């Protein structure tokens, strides 16, 4: 396979270059009726045999491009759950449960917040997540 050449600006990239064959071949073609796993065909001359196309029909490839663009928009629109720490949903603990545990770093009482300006210490979150997971933060012997 040849290396991809940089495109001059202003030229639109054809659909068959946006989506690899391995992705569009999994779908049925609405134009020629080729099943998943089969290449697209052109009818050829009247009374003659069908000719295999070099690339799939645009109607077969376009839904994949649209799905990818929609996924990129939704991903771009999402913001991380906790922008202060940069952590995602895995480390997020509800604040009302976090207040049931004292902080091992700043020694904040169970009903008080940590001495940080915007959040709680990670050690406090870890302690709570261990308690919620069922082992109570204790090691088994």
């Amino acid at each position: 396979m040849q290396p991809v050449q940089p495109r001059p600006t202003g030229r639109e990239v054809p659909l068959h270059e946006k989506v690899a064959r391995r992705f569009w071949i999994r779908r049925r073609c609405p134009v020629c009726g080729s099943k998943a796993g089969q290449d697209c065909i052109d009818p050829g001359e009247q009374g003659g045999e069908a000719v295999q196309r070099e690339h799939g029909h645009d109607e077969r490839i376009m839904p994949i491009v649209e799905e990818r663009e929609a996924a990129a928009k939704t991903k771009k629109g999402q913001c991380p759950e906790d922008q202060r720490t940069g952590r995602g949903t895995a480390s997020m603990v509800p604040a009302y449960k976090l207040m049931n545990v004292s902080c091992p770093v700043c020694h904040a009482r169970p009903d008080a917040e940590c001495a940080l300006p915007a959040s709680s210490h990670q050690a406090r979150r870890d302690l709570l997540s261990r308690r919620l997971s069922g082992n109570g933060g204790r090691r088994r012997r």
Side-chain angles (χ1 to χ4, degrees), residues 25 28 31 34 41 48 52 58 60 62 81 84 91 98 103 109 112 115-116 121 141:
I25 197 75
R28 187 188 151 286
V31 176
S34 295
I41 54 173
Q52 185 174 347
D58 288 349
R60 190 176 191 178
M62 193 61 189
E81 298 240 350
R84 296 178 307 252
S91 68
L98 193 59
C103 182
R109 295 180 182 201
L116 291 175
H121 286 105
R141 289 186 178 196

Side-chain angles (χ1 to χ4, degrees), residues 12-20 23-25 27-34 39-42 53-67 69:
E12 191 169 322
V13 179
L15 284 177
H16 69 270
E17 290 183 16
K18 289 184 178 181
V19 180
F23 296 111
W24 61 259
I25 197 75
R27 298 177 180 230
R28 187 188 151 286
C29 181
V31 176
C32 63
S34 295
D39 286 315
C40 289
I41 54 173
D42 282 329
R53 289 178 58 101
E54 186 176 345
H55 308 290
H57 286 104
D58 288 349
E59 291 81 359
R60 190 176 191 178
I61 299 172
M62 193 61 189
I64 299 171
V65 173
E66 290 171 350
E67 288 169 8
E69 289 172 355

